[in-house]
Amino acid sequence: MRIPRRSFLGLLASAAASTSLRRAQATPPDSPTPANDPLRPEFHLMPQHNWMNDPNGPIFWKGNYHLFYQLNPHAAVWGDMHWGHAISTDMIHWRHEPIALAPTPGGPDSEGCFSGSAVVDQGSPTFIYTGVQNAAPQDVTLHDAANKLRETQLLAIAEDDNLLRWKKLPQPVIAAPPAGMNVTGFRDPCPWREADGWYLAVGSGERGKGGCALLYRSQDLRHWEYLHPLAQGQPTGSTAADPVDSGDMWECPDFFEVDGRHCLLYSTERKVYWTTGDYDRRTHRFTPTRQGILDYGAYYAPKSFLAPDGRRILWGWIPETRPQAEYAAAGWAGCMSLPRVLGVNAEDQLTMRVAAEAEKLRGTPMRGTLKGGAQNLPLDLLHQEVALNLAPHTQSATLRLLVDKKPAWELLLDWRSGTGRCADRSFPLPARAAAPAQVRLYLDASVLEAFIGDTDAITTRCYTLRPSHIALEVTLDAAGSGAWTQCPLAAISPDRLTA
Ligand code: FRU
């Protein structure tokens, strides 16, 4: 929770980020306002002001989607975590609601309401989340340079059908990690229901042994029995001071079944891993068969939920990658990714595509063809979706956003060498076996969510784009060809405050 962990916000830039639980300075008066800042996204959900990080407790209840998220209501830097709340009928257009969870002075969440999940228990939406408080050294589970905190798992029950009021249980439902474990952390509970009761994965790990997700069982969400690790990582050999950086602490485990397979997501080493595999419902052991990286860029701590139509929808946090001084002055930091529909393909890979609801934002499309060499597409908008359909024989494609004719952002895809590159990040490109490739880009001011087929994604931030000065240049190898489609995407609110 201290500086280096949050400074992966600088994973694509050199952010000298500094975070602590202390409250930060308010935005200086001469800063741009969120409503007139051209770098602020217009169709990605985010609070009207200040800092957000992880999505928390997504749930569909009585006709509405509810999304909660880590919020610092005082400043655009991490600290004093609350749960913000937004409500929607389509997962795209949102209304901001009052804060759902705030720290209770003197309570087990007095220093912050950390991430968690929502389930329906006996007809009542219920949160299970991690509370943090200052504690005696023997009870501390989160220790780094800036923080010495005890993490416990807490319950809160909705008191109304709009999920505006929540009643907390005063005592933790899990007060300490399993006896004998010297944990690197103990947080971000993920519950699910099986025929014989509730199960819960909690993010944790041990120094030098790798991260893990600890598995618990309960009949009533209130009394929990520890079983064993649901999944266990490997020692990474890294000696980074922060166990999240060294891979010895897994944050935000998310465990679910999709397309008849089980999937575990977790966040560590500044990355989000997916693992598909077999879950034995008798022994409650998860045996991974395949692993990958969910998004190669600025994307962290995702959380999924089951939509009423059976789709498994994933939300992720898109952090800032510029220096803290800049985002603190801007008065806003972080946004939610677009909703991604998850699946598992025949090769056991996690697949994702942006939910069809996002198509509602589309304006009139433009279309054209692509041939070998460089060409400029007439796309000077800061908020748009671009799809390239590349013919099977296309070997390479480079997408370049130019600002006043100079490259500001670049995505290189080379299927010959099997590598992709974007903003100094390299990643493997799967073999395409003579199949066409689709590349889809969602550009929203400083946010770029890019998808290559349905298995690879890279989300990046670019803070130099300016309206009416940009162009998209696409370069294919000499023999390459394909087609492009572009659609302007509408803002989700009239005042640019995203609700
Ligand atoms: C992940 C995380 C979680 C924690 C929350 C605190 O980004 O560190 O592990 O619950 O953020 O804001």
Side-chain angles (χ1 to χ4, degrees):
M1 238 52 59
R2 67 191 171 84
I3 298 165
R5 205 153 86 60
R6 292 286 157 218
S7 69
F8 74 79
L9 311 175
L11 81 165
L12 305 176
S14 58
S18 161
T19 59
S20 82
L21 290 174
R22 272 172 285 120
R23 293 184 182 183
Q25 297 295 307
T27 307
D30 56 348
S31 298
T33 70
N36 67 16
D37 185 342
L39 296 178
R40 186 175 157 97
E42 292 190 0
F43 57 83
H44 283 81
L45 171 66
M46 58 199 305
Q48 291 178 319
H49 306 279
N50 296 326
W51 167 279
M52 66 153 273
N53 55 292
D54 316 355
N56 293 152
I59 189 169
F60 183 81
W61 183 246
K62 305 271 183 202
N64 287 308
Y65 296 97
H66 294 262
L67 190 50
F68 305 88
Y69 51 85
Q70 292 282 282
L71 169 74
N72 178 356
H74 314 292
V77 296
W78 186 84
D80 197 22
M81 298 323 301
H82 291 55
W83 280 34
H85 180 194
I87 193 168
S88 170
T89 52
D90 63 2
M91 291 194 286
I92 297 295
H93 297 88
W94 296 92
R95 187 174 78 226
H96 289 304
E97 295 292 354
I99 283 169
L101 283 183
T104 299
D109 60 7
S110 57
E111 296 300 322
C113 301
F114 277 16
S115 287
S117 309
V119 288
V120 178
D121 177 38
Q122 300 180 38
S124 294
T126 303
F127 286 154
I128 181 158
Y129 69 103
T130 301
V132 294
Q133 67 185 138
N134 291 314
Q138 69 274 14
D139 294 328
V140 166
T141 56
L142 191 173
H143 19 157
D144 57 30
N147 304 299
K148 301 259 174 290
L149 297 168
R150 174 189 186 204
E151 298 158 296
T152 56
Q153 315 316 320
L154 309 176
L155 226 60
I157 296 125
E159 294 192 303
D160 67 288
D161 278 337
N162 291 320
L163 311 190
L164 301 180
R165 285 175 292 112
W166 293 83
K167 190 171 175 45
K168 294 179 185 173
L169 259 56
Q171 296 304 324
V173 292
I174 308 181
M181 260 187 95
N182 187 11
V183 296
T184 47
F186 186 55
R187 57 180 173 273
D188 311 334
C190 169
W192 71 94
R193 182 88 206 169
E194 296 285 344
D196 62 347
W198 290 104
Y199 287 78
L200 182 76
V202 181
S204 191
E206 287 181 278
R207 266 287 173 205
K209 294 190 183 169
C212 68
L214 301 171
L215 183 63
Y216 288 80
R217 176 168 51 203
S218 169
Q219 293 310 317
D220 60 4
L221 289 180
R222 282 147 179 85
H223 303 88
W224 292 93
E225 161 201 12
Y226 173 63
L227 298 180
H228 45 250
L230 173 69
Q232 170 72 56
Q234 302 289 327
T236 60
S238 161
T239 53
D242 189 314
V244 176
D245 289 334
S246 73
D248 289 330
M249 169 64 200
W250 287 0
E251 299 186 291
C252 301
D254 196 40
F255 188 63
F256 52 86
E257 187 174 358
V258 65
D259 293 339
R261 300 294 286 152
H262 272 85
C263 185
L264 174 70
L265 313 180
Y266 56 90
S267 297
T268 192
E269 299 169 275
R270 309 177 184 189
K271 300 180 205 110
V272 181
Y273 289 91
W274 59 259
T275 312
T276 49
D278 302 302
Y279 179 59
D280 183 331
R281 289 202 152 94
R282 205 173 38 81
T283 60
H284 297 288
R285 303 263 173 195
F286 175 62
T287 311
T289 49
R290 193 154 180 177
Q291 191 182 59
I293 297 206
L294 196 135
D295 187 304
Y296 293 100
Y299 185 94
Y300 200 70
K303 179 96 208 144
S304 72
F305 80 111
L306 197 59
D309 59 7
R311 286 176 302 168
R312 175 60 57 178
I313 308 279
L314 188 74
W315 300 99
W317 165 40
I318 300 177
E320 301 303 314
T321 60
R322 56 181 168 168
Q324 176 175 291
E326 286 178 29
Y327 62 72
W332 57 275
C335 69
M336 202 67 78
S337 66
L338 293 172
R340 299 181 183 182
V341 181
L342 298 182
V344 174
N345 67 18
E347 284 78 48
D348 248 358
Q349 287 169 296
L350 187 77
T351 61
M352 63 200 136
R353 59 189 162 78
V354 169
E357 281 86 340
E359 292 169 14
K360 286 185 176 187
L361 300 174
R362 287 180 182 162
T364 309
M366 286 201 286
R367 295 195 168 85
T369 52
L370 293 166
K371 52 185 172 26
Q375 54 213 296
N376 271 2
L377 310 188
L379 315 176
D380 61 353
L381 299 172
L382 264 190
H383 308 275
Q384 57 174 312
E385 176 185 349
V386 180
L388 306 184
N389 284 300
L390 302 174
H393 54 261
T394 307
Q395 301 282 343
S396 70
T398 302
L399 285 74
R400 208 172 268 137
L401 277 165
L402 307 172
V403 177
D404 292 329
K405 304 203 166 79
K406 290 194 211 75
W409 175 92
E410 204 171 57
L411 173 65
L412 276 96
L413 303 169
D414 185 346
W415 284 279
R416 287 165 300 208
S417 63
T419 47
R421 191 154 58 74
C422 187
D424 299 334
R425 289 247 150 162
S426 292
F427 53 94
L429 273 185
R432 214 147 43 86
Q438 190 177 68
V439 182
R440 198 173 280 278
L441 187 66
Y442 295 85
L443 168 62
D444 192 10
S446 57
V447 171
L448 295 111
E449 284 190 73
F451 297 86
I452 304 119
D454 63 0
T455 53
D456 294 284
I458 180 155
T459 300
T460 44
R461 306 298 305 267
C462 180
Y463 298 99
T464 52
L465 302 180
R466 291 288 176 272
S468 69
H469 288 262
I470 63 169
L472 179 66
E473 182 194 80
V474 175
T475 309
L476 303 185
D477 60 287
S481 65
W484 61 269
T485 311
Q486 181 262 9
C487 284
L489 293 180
I492 58 175
S493 62
D495 59 4
R496 306 185 78 248
L497 294 174
T498 78

